[in-house]
Amino acid sequence: MTNRPICVIGLGLIGGSLVRAATAAGRVTWGATASVETADAARADGYDVARDTDEALLRARDEDALVVLATPLTAVATVLRRVDAMAPECRLTDVVSVQAPVTEAVLRLAPRTRYVGGHPMAGTAESGWPAGSAKLFDRANWVVIAEDDTDPEVWADVAELAWACGSLVVPSGVREHDAAVGRISHLTHLFAAILASVAAAGNDPWSGAGGDDGALALTLAAGSFADATRVMDTRPELVLAMCEGNRAGLLPAVDDALGRLGAARGSLASTGGLAATVNAGHQARMEWHELRSAPARRTIPRAPLDLAELRKLGHAGTQLTGWSA
């Protein structure tokens, strides 16, 4: 594998973890952040942080580094304008959770960059530099976008960064990725918000005190409530950025969920039964366990890269572990 330098713009949970992981893997790595407090903390921990984004990007241009956008979606446009001004033809990727809006922004604001989208499926409910870890990406799936017009050299750069950080690469098209994360991540955040709100609101038809049993419900809440609502510990603005940013991918998932919830409600009201809903959910969970226990993994040749074949592999759930000999 190559040893290309890495420039990370944004040093929150994901960006900060990436700086740590890439440095631990032996890559020359530096970062930039708009937060003076975060920059000082990262430097105090021994990491290389530029004075500002422009300085980091000029160095990336001069050293032919791979630039990684690690900001919230709401800040991507601002950073891309600086990329176009300072390093307009750089190798560029991102670790933002939604791909279609980032791809569109790159085409509009930094069209000369050699951009390949990426999304490591890793994170916690915590945020900021202190929450980061060099081990965050270990055995995580890292989506690397493979469209027909994808630059093969930069695809290889992004895949090698993912492997260096300990991840497994899953190729995908842009819209396929956004539809998938709409179902397994963004819908999860939306449902967690609803579940937490329902518990706190209270609705006891037997109470003579107006049905306000929220305090009782939250007092009794234990493991299942904690597991189902864990992601609501995340800062709301971060949840809003990824869910609202993936409206096209999230709306079909919401429609599917509403249909299933409506069917469950109808069955419960009419017959008192929920077997169809619960059995389907249990079966889906078992399928997930099976895929995790016996994943499809393989290596691929370094060249030539067949982008259509890569998408097929990703669509089938195949995890790529590295280059074949």
Side-chain angles (χ1 to χ4, degrees):
M1 294 198 294
T2 61
N3 200 31
R4 189 172 303 283
I6 304 297
C7 170
V8 181
I9 308 299
L11 297 178
L13 169 66
I14 302 299
S17 296
L18 183 53
V19 165
R20 291 175 171 97
T23 300
R27 296 290 189 98
V28 174
T29 307
W30 62 93
T33 174
S35 168
V36 174
E37 181 181 357
T38 296
D40 288 344
R43 291 189 189 104
D45 288 341
Y47 294 94
D48 189 348
V49 181
R51 288 174 297 179
D52 54 36
T53 297
D54 284 2
E55 180 183 85
L57 291 171
L58 286 172
R59 181 178 173 187
R61 181 199 65 189
D62 293 342
E63 298 188 24
D64 194 21
L66 175 64
V67 177
V68 184
L69 301 180
T71 66
L73 182 61
T74 51
V76 164
T78 299
V79 175
L80 286 175
R81 291 186 179 95
R82 301 319 306 157
V83 170
D84 191 55
M86 298 292 109
E89 298 179 357
C90 70
R91 299 167 186 255
L92 180 68
T93 188
D94 73 285
V95 289
V96 180
S97 68
V98 185
Q99 289 300 293
V102 178
T103 301
E104 293 161 5
V106 170
L107 290 174
R108 186 176 74 255
L109 300 171
R112 292 174 289 173
T113 58
R114 300 172 67 183
Y115 171 70
V116 174
H119 180 202
M121 302 301 297
T124 71
E126 299 176 344
S127 59
W129 173 265
S133 167
K135 300 296 185 181
L136 183 68
F137 308 109
D138 281 2
R139 313 315 291 169
N141 290 314
W142 191 312
V143 176
V144 183
I145 297 299
E147 296 283 1
D148 289 339
D149 60 351
T150 293
D151 186 322
E153 286 189 17
V154 183
W155 193 94
D157 286 334
V158 180
E160 289 182 352
L161 173 61
W163 290 325
C165 292
S167 293
L168 302 157
V169 169
V170 179
S172 175
V174 169
R175 299 200 181 281
E176 294 87 345
H177 164 274
D178 287 0
V181 296
R183 292 195 298 273
I184 55 90
S185 176
H186 303 158
L187 183 65
T188 300
H189 282 79
L190 185 58
F191 264 39
I194 293 169
L195 291 171
S197 299
V198 168
N203 183 25
D204 178 6
W206 309 109
S207 173
D212 183 11
D213 65 334
L216 173 61
L218 292 177
T219 299
L220 298 178
S224 61
F225 178 81
D227 291 344
T229 61
R230 174 187 62 81
V231 293
M232 280 300 98
D233 286 338
T234 307
R235 285 163 39 202
E237 62 269 25
L238 298 180
V239 176
L240 288 170
M242 66 180 178
C243 290
E244 293 176 350
N246 191 26
R247 182 171 61 174
L250 180 54
L251 277 172
V254 171
D255 290 341
D256 189 357
L258 288 175
R260 294 171 186 268
L261 190 60
R265 199 267 180 206
S267 179
L268 183 63
S270 61
T271 69
L274 289 172
T277 298
V278 172
N279 289 337
H282 178 74
Q283 179 61 33
R285 179 78 176 188
M286 294 304 101
E287 291 174 8
W288 179 66
H289 281 306
E290 184 177 351
L291 282 172
R292 287 170 63 88
S293 63
R297 291 178 178 166
R298 58 168 288 180
T299 58
I300 56 172
R302 175 67 173 77
L305 282 177
D306 185 332
L307 296 166
E309 180 61 24
L310 287 176
R311 287 196 302 276
K312 289 180 182 178
L313 290 172
H315 189 75
T318 304
Q319 300 167 318
L320 306 182
T321 61
W323 304 125
S324 54

